[in-house]
Coordinates of all heavy atoms in Angstrom, one line a residue:
M1 N -69.1 28.0 45.7 CA -68.2 29.1 46.3 C -69.0 30.3 46.7 O -68.7 30.9 47.7 CB -67.2 29.5 45.2 CG -66.1 30.4 45.7 SD -65.1 29.6 46.9 CE -63.5 29.8 46.1
I2 N -70.1 30.6 46.0 CA -70.9 31.8 46.4 C -71.8 31.4 47.6 O -72.0 32.3 48.5 CB -71.7 32.3 45.2 CG1 -70.7 32.8 44.1 CG2 -72.7 33.3 45.6 CD1 -71.4 33.2 42.9
L3 N -72.3 30.2 47.6 CA -73.3 29.9 48.6 C -72.8 30.0 50.1 O -73.5 30.5 50.9 CB -73.9 28.5 48.3 CG -75.1 28.1 49.2 CD1 -76.2 29.0 49.0 CD2 -75.5 26.7 48.8
P4 N -71.6 29.5 50.4 CA -71.1 29.6 51.7 C -70.9 31.1 52.2 O -71.3 31.5 53.3 CB -69.7 29.0 51.7 CG -69.8 28.0 50.6 CD -70.7 28.6 49.6
S5 N -70.5 31.9 51.2 CA -70.3 33.4 51.6 C -71.7 34.0 51.8 O -71.9 34.8 52.7 CB -69.7 34.1 50.4 OG -68.4 33.6 50.2
L6 N -72.7 33.6 51.0 CA -74.0 34.1 51.2 C -74.6 33.7 52.5 O -75.2 34.6 53.2 CB -74.9 33.6 50.0 CG -76.4 34.1 50.0 CD1 -76.4 35.6 49.9 CD2 -77.2 33.4 48.9
I7 N -74.4 32.5 52.9 CA -74.9 32.0 54.2 C -74.2 32.8 55.3 O -74.9 33.2 56.3 CB -74.7 30.5 54.3 CG1 -75.6 29.8 53.3 CG2 -75.0 30.0 55.7 CD1 -75.3 28.3 53.2
I8 N -72.9 33.0 55.2 CA -72.2 33.7 56.3 C -72.7 35.1 56.4 O -73.0 35.6 57.5 CB -70.7 33.6 56.1 CG1 -70.2 32.2 56.3 CG2 -69.9 34.6 57.0 CD1 -68.8 32.0 55.8
I9 N -72.8 35.8 55.3 CA -73.2 37.2 55.3 C -74.7 37.3 55.8 O -75.0 38.2 56.6 CB -73.1 37.8 53.9 CG1 -71.6 38.0 53.5 CG2 -73.8 39.2 53.8 CD1 -71.3 38.3 52.1
S10 N -75.5 36.4 55.4 CA -76.9 36.5 55.9 C -77.0 36.2 57.4 O -77.8 36.9 58.1 CB -77.7 35.4 55.1 OG -77.8 35.6 53.8
T11 N -76.2 35.3 57.9 CA -76.2 35.0 59.3 C -75.7 36.2 60.1 O -76.3 36.6 61.1 CB -75.4 33.8 59.6 OG1 -75.8 32.7 58.8 CG2 -75.4 33.4 61.1
L12 N -74.6 36.8 59.6 CA -74.1 38.0 60.2 C -75.0 39.2 60.2 O -75.2 39.9 61.2 CB -72.7 38.4 59.6 CG -71.5 37.6 59.9 CD1 -70.3 38.1 59.1 CD2 -71.2 37.7 61.4
S13 N -75.8 39.4 59.1 CA -76.7 40.5 59.1 C -77.9 40.3 60.1 O -78.4 41.2 60.6 CB -77.3 40.6 57.7 OG -78.2 39.6 57.3
L14 N -78.2 39.0 60.3 CA -79.3 38.8 61.3 C -78.8 39.2 62.7 O -79.5 39.8 63.5 CB -79.7 37.3 61.4 CG -80.5 36.8 60.2 CD1 -80.7 35.3 60.2 CD2 -81.8 37.5 60.1
F15 N -77.5 38.8 63.0 CA -77.0 39.2 64.3 C -76.7 40.7 64.4 O -77.0 41.3 65.5 CB -75.6 38.5 64.6 CG -75.8 37.0 64.9 CD1 -75.3 36.0 64.1 CD2 -76.4 36.7 66.1 CE1 -75.5 34.7 64.4 CE2 -76.6 35.3 66.5 CZ -76.1 34.3 65.6
L16 N -76.3 41.3 63.4 CA -76.0 42.8 63.4 C -77.3 43.6 63.6 O -77.3 44.5 64.3 CB -75.3 43.2 62.1 CG -73.9 42.7 62.0 CD1 -73.3 43.1 60.6 CD2 -73.0 43.2 63.1
S17 N -78.4 43.1 62.9 CA -79.6 43.9 63.0 C -80.2 43.7 64.4 O -80.8 44.6 65.0 CB -80.6 43.4 62.0 OG -81.0 42.1 62.2
A18 N -79.9 42.6 65.1 CA -80.4 42.4 66.4 C -79.6 43.2 67.5 O -80.1 43.6 68.5 CB -80.4 40.9 66.8
L19 N -78.3 43.5 67.1 CA -77.5 44.2 68.1 C -77.3 45.7 67.8 O -76.6 46.3 68.5 CB -76.1 43.5 68.1 CG -76.0 42.1 68.7 CD1 -74.7 41.5 68.4 CD2 -76.4 42.1 70.1
K20 N -77.9 46.2 66.8 CA -77.6 47.6 66.4 C -78.0 48.6 67.4 O -77.5 49.7 67.4 CB -78.2 47.9 65.0 CG -79.6 48.0 64.9 CD -80.1 48.3 63.5 CE -81.6 48.4 63.4 NZ -82.0 48.7 62.1
E21 N -78.9 48.3 68.3 CA -79.4 49.2 69.3 C -78.5 49.2 70.6 O -78.7 50.0 71.4 CB -80.9 48.9 69.7 CG -81.8 49.0 68.5 CD -81.9 50.5 68.0 OE1 -81.8 51.4 68.8 OE2 -82.0 50.6 66.7
N22 N -77.6 48.2 70.7 CA -76.8 48.0 71.8 C -75.7 49.1 71.8 O -75.0 49.3 70.9 CB -76.2 46.6 71.8 CG -75.4 46.3 73.1 OD1 -74.9 47.2 73.7 ND2 -75.3 45.0 73.4
I23 N -75.6 49.8 72.9 CA -74.6 50.9 73.0 C -73.2 50.4 72.9 O -72.4 51.0 72.2 CB -74.8 51.7 74.4 CG1 -76.2 52.3 74.5 CG2 -73.7 52.7 74.6 CD1 -76.5 53.3 73.5
I24 N -72.8 49.3 73.5 CA -71.5 48.8 73.5 C -71.2 48.4 72.0 O -70.1 48.7 71.5 CB -71.3 47.6 74.4 CG1 -71.5 48.1 75.9 CG2 -70.0 46.9 74.2 CD1 -71.5 47.0 76.9
F25 N -72.1 47.8 71.4 CA -71.9 47.3 70.0 C -71.7 48.6 69.1 O -70.8 48.5 68.2 CB -73.2 46.6 69.6 CG -73.1 46.0 68.2 CD1 -72.4 44.9 68.0 CD2 -73.8 46.6 67.1 CE1 -72.3 44.3 66.7 CE2 -73.7 46.1 65.9 CZ -73.0 44.9 65.7
Q26 N -72.4 49.6 69.3 CA -72.2 50.9 68.5 C -70.8 51.4 68.7 O -70.2 51.9 67.8 CB -73.3 51.9 68.9 CG -74.7 51.5 68.4 CD -75.7 52.5 69.0 OE1 -75.4 53.4 69.7 NE2 -77.0 52.2 68.6
K27 N -70.3 51.4 70.0 CA -69.0 52.0 70.2 C -67.9 51.1 69.6 O -66.9 51.6 69.1 CB -68.8 52.1 71.8 CG -69.6 53.2 72.3 CD -69.4 53.4 73.8 CE -70.3 54.5 74.3 NZ -70.0 54.8 75.7
V28 N -68.1 49.8 69.6 CA -67.1 48.9 69.0 C -67.1 49.2 67.5 O -66.0 49.2 67.0 CB -67.5 47.4 69.3 CG1 -66.8 46.4 68.4 CG2 -67.3 47.0 70.7
F29 N -68.2 49.4 66.9 CA -68.2 49.6 65.5 C -67.6 51.0 65.1 O -67.1 51.2 64.0 CB -69.5 49.4 64.8 CG -69.7 48.0 64.3 CD1 -70.2 47.0 65.1 CD2 -69.3 47.7 63.0 CE1 -70.3 45.7 64.7 CE2 -69.4 46.4 62.6 CZ -69.9 45.4 63.4
K30 N -67.7 51.9 66.0 CA -67.1 53.2 65.8 C -65.5 53.0 65.8 O -64.8 53.6 64.9 CB -67.4 54.3 66.8 CG -68.8 54.9 66.6 CD -69.0 56.0 67.6 CE -70.4 56.6 67.4 NZ -70.7 57.7 68.4
G31 N -65.1 52.2 66.7 CA -63.6 51.9 66.7 C -63.2 51.1 65.4 O -62.1 51.3 64.9
I32 N -64.1 50.2 64.9 CA -63.7 49.5 63.7 C -63.7 50.4 62.5 O -62.8 50.3 61.7 CB -64.8 48.3 63.5 CG1 -64.6 47.3 64.6 CG2 -64.7 47.7 62.1 CD1 -65.6 46.2 64.6
R33 N -64.6 51.4 62.5 CA -64.5 52.4 61.4 C -63.2 53.1 61.3 O -62.6 53.3 60.3 CB -65.7 53.4 61.5 CG -67.0 52.8 61.0 CD -68.0 53.9 61.0 NE -69.1 53.4 61.7 CZ -70.0 54.1 62.4 NH1 -69.8 55.4 62.5 NH2 -71.0 53.6 63.0
V34 N -62.7 53.5 62.5 CA -61.4 54.2 62.5 C -60.3 53.2 62.1 O -59.4 53.6 61.3 CB -61.1 54.7 64.0 CG1 -59.7 55.2 64.1 CG2 -62.1 55.7 64.4
S35 N -60.4 52.0 62.5 CA -59.3 51.0 62.1 C -59.4 50.8 60.6 O -58.3 50.7 59.9 CB -59.6 49.7 62.8 OG -59.5 49.8 64.2
V36 N -60.5 50.7 60.0 CA -60.7 50.5 58.5 C -60.1 51.7 57.8 O -59.4 51.6 56.8 CB -62.1 50.3 58.2 CG1 -62.3 50.4 56.6 CG2 -62.6 48.9 58.7
A37 N -60.4 52.9 58.3 CA -59.8 54.1 57.7 C -58.3 54.1 57.7 O -57.6 54.5 56.7 CB -60.4 55.4 58.4
I38 N -57.7 53.7 58.8 CA -56.3 53.7 59.0 C -55.7 52.6 58.0 O -54.7 52.9 57.4 CB -55.9 53.4 60.4 CG1 -56.2 54.6 61.3 CG2 -54.4 53.0 60.5 CD1 -56.0 54.4 62.8
L39 N -56.4 51.5 57.9 CA -55.9 50.5 56.9 C -55.9 50.9 55.5 O -55.0 50.7 54.7 CB -56.7 49.2 57.1 CG -56.4 48.4 58.4 CD1 -57.4 47.2 58.5 CD2 -55.0 47.8 58.4
I40 N -57.0 51.7 55.2 CA -57.1 52.2 53.8 C -56.0 53.3 53.6 O -55.3 53.2 52.5 CB -58.5 52.9 53.6 CG1 -59.5 51.8 53.5 CG2 -58.5 53.7 52.3 CD1 -60.9 52.3 53.5
L41 N -55.7 54.1 54.5 CA -54.6 55.1 54.4 C -53.3 54.4 54.2 O -52.4 54.8 53.5 CB -54.6 56.1 55.5 CG -55.7 57.1 55.6 CD1 -55.7 57.9 56.8 CD2 -55.6 58.0 54.3
Y42 N -53.1 53.3 55.0 CA -51.8 52.6 54.9 C -51.7 52.0 53.5 O -50.6 52.0 52.9 CB -51.8 51.5 56.0 CG -50.6 50.6 55.9 CD1 -49.3 51.1 56.3 CD2 -50.7 49.3 55.5 CE1 -48.2 50.3 56.2 CE2 -49.5 48.5 55.4 CZ -48.3 49.0 55.8 OH -47.2 48.2 55.7
A43 N -52.8 51.4 53.0 CA -52.7 50.8 51.6 C -52.4 51.9 50.6 O -51.6 51.7 49.6 CB -54.0 50.1 51.3
V44 N -53.0 53.1 50.7 CA -52.7 54.2 49.8 C -51.3 54.6 49.9 O -50.6 54.8 48.9 CB -53.7 55.4 50.1 CG1 -53.2 56.6 49.3 CG2 -55.1 55.0 49.7
W45 N -50.7 54.6 51.1 CA -49.3 55.0 51.3 C -48.4 54.0 50.6 O -47.4 54.4 50.0 CB -49.0 55.1 52.8 CG -47.7 55.6 53.1 CD1 -46.6 54.8 53.4 CD2 -47.2 56.9 53.0 NE1 -45.5 55.6 53.6 CE2 -45.9 56.9 53.4 CE3 -47.8 58.1 52.7 CZ2 -45.1 58.1 53.5 CZ3 -47.1 59.3 52.8 CH2 -45.7 59.2 53.2
K46 N -48.7 52.8 50.7 CA -47.9 51.8 50.0 C -48.0 51.8 48.5 O -47.0 51.5 47.8 CB -48.2 50.4 50.6 CG -47.7 50.2 52.0 CD -48.0 48.7 52.4 CE -47.0 47.9 51.7 NZ -46.9 46.5 52.3
I47 N -49.2 52.1 48.0 CA -49.4 52.1 46.6 C -48.8 53.3 45.9 O -48.5 53.4 44.7 CB -50.9 51.9 46.3 CG1 -51.3 50.5 46.7 CG2 -51.2 52.2 44.8 CD1 -52.8 50.3 46.6
R48 N -48.7 54.4 46.7 CA -48.3 55.7 46.1 C -47.0 55.6 45.3 O -46.8 56.4 44.3 CB -48.2 56.8 47.1 CG -47.0 56.6 48.1 CD -46.8 57.8 49.0 NE -45.8 57.5 50.0 CZ -44.5 57.3 49.7 NH1 -44.0 57.4 48.6 NH2 -43.7 57.0 50.7
A49 N -46.1 54.8 45.7 CA -44.8 54.6 45.0 C -45.0 54.2 43.5 O -44.4 54.7 42.6 CB -43.9 53.7 45.7
N50 N -45.9 53.3 43.3 CA -46.3 52.9 41.9 C -47.0 53.9 41.2 O -46.9 54.0 39.9 CB -47.1 51.6 41.9 CG -46.3 50.4 42.5 OD1 -45.1 50.4 42.5 ND2 -47.0 49.5 43.0
M51 N -47.8 54.8 41.8 CA -48.5 55.8 41.2 C -47.6 56.9 40.6 O -48.0 57.5 39.6 CB -49.5 56.5 42.2 CG -50.7 55.6 42.5 SD -51.7 55.4 41.0 CE -52.7 54.1 41.6
S52 N -46.5 57.1 41.2 CA -45.6 58.1 40.6 C -45.0 57.7 39.3 O -44.6 58.5 38.5 CB -44.5 58.4 41.6 OG -43.7 57.3 41.8
Q53 N -45.0 56.4 39.0 CA -44.5 55.9 37.7 C -45.6 56.0 36.6 O -45.3 56.1 35.5 CB -44.1 54.5 37.8 CG -42.9 54.3 38.8 CD -42.6 52.8 39.1 OE1 -43.3 52.0 38.6 NE2 -41.6 52.6 39.9
C54 N -46.8 56.0 37.0 CA -47.9 56.0 36.0 C -48.8 57.2 36.3 O -49.7 57.2 37.2 CB -48.7 54.7 36.1 SG -50.1 54.7 35.0
K55 N -48.6 58.3 35.5 CA -49.4 59.5 35.7 C -50.9 59.3 35.5 O -51.8 59.9 36.1 CB -48.9 60.7 34.8 CG -47.4 61.0 35.1 CD -47.2 61.5 36.5 CE -45.8 61.8 36.7 NZ -45.4 61.9 38.1
F56 N -51.2 58.4 34.5 CA -52.6 58.2 34.2 C -53.3 57.5 35.4 O -54.4 57.9 35.7 CB -52.7 57.3 32.9 CG -54.1 57.0 32.5 CD1 -54.8 58.0 31.9 CD2 -54.7 55.8 32.7 CE1 -56.1 57.7 31.5 CE2 -56.0 55.5 32.3 CZ -56.7 56.5 31.7
G57 N -52.7 56.6 36.0 CA -53.2 55.9 37.2 C -53.5 56.9 38.3 O -54.4 56.9 39.1
L58 N -52.5 57.9 38.5 CA -52.7 58.9 39.5 C -53.9 59.8 39.2 O -54.6 60.1 40.1 CB -51.4 59.8 39.5 CG -51.4 60.9 40.6 CD1 -51.4 60.3 42.0 CD2 -50.1 61.7 40.4
I59 N -54.1 60.1 37.9 CA -55.2 61.0 37.6 C -56.5 60.2 37.8 O -57.5 60.8 38.4 CB -55.1 61.4 36.1 CG1 -54.0 62.4 35.9 CG2 -56.4 62.0 35.6 CD1 -53.6 62.6 34.4
I60 N -56.6 59.0 37.5 CA -57.8 58.2 37.8 C -58.1 58.1 39.3 O -59.2 58.2 39.7 CB -57.7 56.8 37.1 CG1 -57.8 56.8 35.6 CG2 -58.8 55.8 37.7 CD1 -57.7 55.5 34.9
S61 N -57.0 57.9 40.0 CA -57.2 57.8 41.5 C -57.7 59.1 42.1 O -58.6 59.1 42.9 CB -55.9 57.5 42.1 OG -55.4 56.2 41.7
I62 N -57.2 60.2 41.6 CA -57.6 61.5 42.1 C -59.1 61.8 41.7 O -59.9 62.2 42.5 CB -56.7 62.7 41.6 CG1 -55.3 62.5 42.3 CG2 -57.3 64.0 41.9 CD1 -54.3 63.4 41.7
L63 N -59.4 61.5 40.5 CA -60.8 61.7 40.0 C -61.8 60.8 40.8 O -62.9 61.2 41.2 CB -60.9 61.4 38.5 CG -60.4 62.4 37.6 CD1 -60.4 62.0 36.2 CD2 -61.1 63.7 37.8
A64 N -61.4 59.5 41.1 CA -62.2 58.6 41.9 C -62.4 59.1 43.3 O -63.5 59.1 43.8 CB -61.6 57.2 41.9
F65 N -61.4 59.7 43.8 CA -61.5 60.3 45.2 C -62.4 61.5 45.2 O -63.3 61.6 46.1 CB -60.1 60.7 45.7 CG -60.1 61.3 47.0 CD1 -60.2 60.5 48.1 CD2 -59.9 62.7 47.2 CE1 -60.2 61.1 49.4 CE2 -59.9 63.2 48.5 CZ -60.1 62.4 49.6
I66 N -62.3 62.3 44.2 CA -63.2 63.5 44.1 C -64.7 63.1 43.9 O -65.6 63.6 44.6 CB -62.7 64.4 43.0 CG1 -61.4 65.1 43.3 CG2 -63.8 65.5 42.7 CD1 -60.7 65.8 42.2
F67 N -64.9 62.1 43.0 CA -66.2 61.6 42.7 C -66.9 61.0 44.0 O -68.1 60.9 44.1 CB -66.3 60.7 41.6 CG -66.1 61.4 40.2 CD1 -65.4 60.8 39.2 CD2 -66.7 62.6 40.0 CE1 -65.2 61.5 38.0 CE2 -66.5 63.3 38.8 CZ -65.8 62.7 37.8
S68 N -66.1 60.4 44.9 CA -66.6 59.8 46.1 C -67.3 60.8 47.0 O -68.2 60.4 47.7 CB -65.5 59.1 46.8 OG -64.6 60.0 47.4
F69 N -67.0 62.1 46.8 CA -67.6 63.1 47.6 C -69.0 63.5 47.1 O -69.8 64.2 47.8 CB -66.7 64.4 47.7 CG -65.6 64.2 48.6 CD1 -64.3 64.1 48.1 CD2 -65.7 64.1 50.0 CE1 -63.2 63.9 48.9 CE2 -64.7 64.0 50.8 CZ -63.4 63.9 50.3
F70 N -69.3 63.0 45.9 CA -70.6 63.3 45.3 C -71.6 62.2 45.6 O -72.7 62.1 45.0 CB -70.5 63.5 43.8 CG -69.7 64.7 43.4 CD1 -68.5 64.6 42.8 CD2 -70.3 66.0 43.7 CE1 -67.8 65.8 42.5 CE2 -69.5 67.1 43.3 CZ -68.3 67.0 42.8
H71 N -71.3 61.4 46.6 CA -72.2 60.3 47.0 C -72.6 59.3 45.9 O -73.7 58.8 45.9 CB -73.4 60.8 47.8 CG -73.0 61.7 48.9 ND1 -72.5 61.1 50.1 CD2 -73.1 63.0 49.1 CE1 -72.3 62.1 51.0 NE2 -72.6 63.3 50.4
L72 N -71.6 59.1 45.0 CA -71.9 58.1 43.9 C -71.6 56.7 44.6 O -70.7 56.6 45.5 CB -71.0 58.3 42.7 CG -71.2 59.6 42.0 CD1 -70.1 59.8 40.9 CD2 -72.6 59.6 41.3
Q73 N -72.2 55.7 44.1 CA -72.0 54.4 44.6 C -70.5 54.0 44.2 O -70.1 54.2 43.1 CB -73.0 53.4 44.1 CG -74.3 53.6 44.7 CD -75.3 52.5 44.3 OE1 -74.9 51.6 43.6 NE2 -76.5 52.6 44.7
S74 N -69.9 53.4 45.1 CA -68.5 52.9 44.9 C -68.4 52.0 43.7 O -67.4 52.1 43.0 CB -67.9 52.2 46.2 OG -68.0 53.1 47.3
F75 N -69.4 51.2 43.5 CA -69.3 50.2 42.4 C -69.2 51.0 41.1 O -68.4 50.6 40.3 CB -70.6 49.4 42.4 CG -70.8 48.6 41.2 CD1 -70.1 47.4 41.1 CD2 -71.7 49.0 40.2 CE1 -70.2 46.6 39.9 CE2 -71.8 48.2 39.0 CZ -71.1 47.0 38.9
F76 N -69.9 52.1 40.9 CA -69.8 52.8 39.6 C -68.5 53.5 39.5 O -68.0 53.6 38.4 CB -71.0 53.8 39.5 CG -72.3 53.1 39.4 CD1 -73.3 53.3 40.4 CD2 -72.6 52.2 38.4 CE1 -74.5 52.6 40.3 CE2 -73.8 51.5 38.3 CZ -74.8 51.7 39.2
I77 N -68.0 54.0 40.6 CA -66.7 54.7 40.5 C -65.6 53.7 40.1 O -64.8 53.9 39.2 CB -66.3 55.3 41.8 CG1 -67.3 56.5 42.1 CG2 -64.9 55.9 41.8 CD1 -67.2 57.1 43.5
I78 N -65.6 52.5 40.7 CA -64.6 51.5 40.4 C -64.8 50.9 39.0 O -63.8 50.8 38.3 CB -64.7 50.3 41.5 CG1 -64.3 50.8 42.8 CG2 -63.8 49.1 41.0 CD1 -64.6 49.9 44.0
L79 N -66.0 50.7 38.6 CA -66.3 50.2 37.3 C -65.8 51.2 36.2 O -65.2 50.8 35.2 CB -67.8 49.9 37.1 CG -68.2 49.3 35.8 CD1 -67.6 47.9 35.5 CD2 -69.7 49.2 35.7
S80 N -66.1 52.5 36.4 CA -65.7 53.5 35.5 C -64.2 53.6 35.4 O -63.6 53.7 34.3 CB -66.3 54.9 35.9 OG -67.7 54.9 35.9
A81 N -63.5 53.6 36.5 CA -62.1 53.6 36.5 C -61.5 52.4 35.8 O -60.5 52.6 35.0 CB -61.5 53.7 37.9
A82 N -62.1 51.3 36.0 CA -61.6 50.1 35.3 C -61.8 50.1 33.8 O -60.9 49.8 33.1 CB -62.3 48.8 35.9
L83 N -62.9 50.6 33.4 CA -63.2 50.7 32.0 C -62.3 51.8 31.3 O -61.7 51.5 30.2 CB -64.6 51.1 31.7 CG -65.7 50.0 32.0 CD1 -67.1 50.5 31.9 CD2 -65.4 48.8 31.1
I84 N -62.0 52.9 32.0 CA -61.1 53.9 31.4 C -59.7 53.3 31.3 O -59.0 53.5 30.4 CB -61.2 55.2 32.3 CG1 -62.5 55.9 32.1 CG2 -60.0 56.1 31.9 CD1 -62.8 57.0 33.1
G85 N -59.3 52.6 32.4 CA -58.0 52.0 32.4 C -57.8 51.0 31.3 O -56.8 50.9 30.6
I86 N -58.8 50.2 31.1 CA -58.8 49.2 30.0 C -58.7 49.8 28.6 O -57.9 49.5 27.8 CB -60.0 48.2 30.0 CG1 -59.9 47.3 31.3 CG2 -60.2 47.4 28.8 CD1 -61.2 46.5 31.6
L87 N -59.5 50.9 28.4 CA -59.5 51.6 27.1 C -58.1 52.3 26.9 O -57.6 52.3 25.8 CB -60.6 52.6 27.1 CG -62.0 52.0 27.0 CD1 -63.0 53.1 27.1 CD2 -62.2 51.2 25.7
F88 N -57.6 52.8 28.0 CA -56.3 53.5 27.9 C -55.2 52.6 27.6 O -54.3 52.8 26.7 CB -56.0 54.3 29.2 CG -54.6 55.0 29.2 CD1 -54.5 56.1 28.5 CD2 -53.6 54.4 29.9 CE1 -53.2 56.8 28.5 CE2 -52.3 55.0 29.9 CZ -52.2 56.2 29.2
Y89 N -55.1 51.4 28.3 CA -54.0 50.5 28.1 C -54.2 49.6 26.8 O -53.2 49.1 26.3 CB -53.8 49.6 29.3 CG -53.1 50.4 30.4 CD1 -53.8 50.8 31.5 CD2 -51.8 50.8 30.2 CE1 -53.1 51.5 32.5 CE2 -51.1 51.5 31.2 CZ -51.8 51.9 32.3 OH -51.2 52.6 33.3
R90 N -55.4 49.5 26.3 CA -55.6 48.8 25.1 C -54.9 49.5 23.9 O -54.4 48.9 23.0 CB -57.1 48.7 24.8 CG -57.3 47.9 23.5 CD -58.8 47.7 23.3 NE -59.1 46.5 24.1 CZ -60.3 46.0 24.2 NH1 -61.3 46.6 23.6 NH2 -60.6 44.9 24.9
G91 N -54.9 50.9 24.0 CA -54.3 51.7 22.9 C -52.8 51.8 23.1 O -52.1 52.2 22.2
D92 N -52.3 51.4 24.3 CA -50.9 51.5 24.6 C -50.2 50.2 24.1 O -50.4 49.2 24.7 CB -50.6 51.8 26.1 CG -49.2 52.0 26.4 OD1 -48.4 52.3 25.5 OD2 -48.9 52.0 27.6
N93 N -49.3 50.3 23.2 CA -48.7 49.1 22.6 C -47.5 48.6 23.5 O -47.1 47.5 23.4 CB -48.1 49.3 21.2 CG -49.2 49.6 20.2 OD1 -50.3 49.0 20.4 ND2 -49.0 50.3 19.2
N94 N -47.1 49.4 24.4 CA -45.9 49.1 25.3 C -46.4 48.3 26.5 O -45.6 47.7 27.2 CB -45.2 50.4 25.8 CG -44.6 51.1 24.6 OD1 -44.2 50.5 23.6 ND2 -44.5 52.4 24.7
A95 N -47.7 48.3 26.8 CA -48.1 47.6 28.0 C -48.3 46.1 27.9 O -48.3 45.5 26.9 CB -49.5 48.2 28.4

């Protein structure tokens, strides 16, 4: 399962590194960045209804957003939020 993904990603990285100096390619990726930002905002908008029910989840989300401005790696922000959530819900007998 991992090997096909690795092959695809490796092949794409070879093509991307060869095309990164192309002006048209750079403009296309600027457009893709905008599209990704809009998709993320749309996902946040849809999830916000569930966040109003769980104040703890809202606090974790806000803290993760703030920490993202300190140029921490996303992996560590997500891992920290997951660990805090697991510890919080482990003590909650209603969950």
Side-chain angles (χ1 to χ4, degrees):
M1 187 67 122
I2 294 173
L3 190 58
S5 300
L6 179 64
I7 293 170
I8 291 170
I9 291 171
S10 298
T11 305
L12 283 175
S13 72
L14 289 174
F15 285 115
L16 292 177
S17 64
L19 292 172
K20 70 179 179 181
E21 299 298 323
N22 188 333
I23 300 295
I24 295 172
F25 185 76
Q26 291 174 359
K27 290 182 179 185
V28 166
F29 268 90
K30 280 186 181 180
I32 289 173
R33 278 188 234 149
V34 171
S35 300
V36 168
I38 290 171
L39 288 173
I40 291 171
L41 288 174
Y42 177 71
V44 168
W45 184 259
K46 288 185 73 169
I47 292 173
R48 72 171 170 70
N50 294 336
M51 286 295 169
S52 64
Q53 297 171 356
C54 177
K55 300 299 181 198
F56 183 73
L58 182 63
I59 291 169
I60 288 179
S61 299
I62 291 170
L63 287 174
F65 181 73
I66 291 170
F67 287 140
S68 69
F69 286 107
F70 293 111
H71 301 289
L72 297 174
Q73 290 186 1
S74 300
F75 171 77
F76 294 118
I77 295 172
I78 294 169
L79 182 65
S80 300
L83 290 174
I84 291 169
I86 289 169
L87 292 174
F88 177 77
Y89 284 110
R90 179 175 279 177
D92 187 13
N93 293 331
N94 296 330

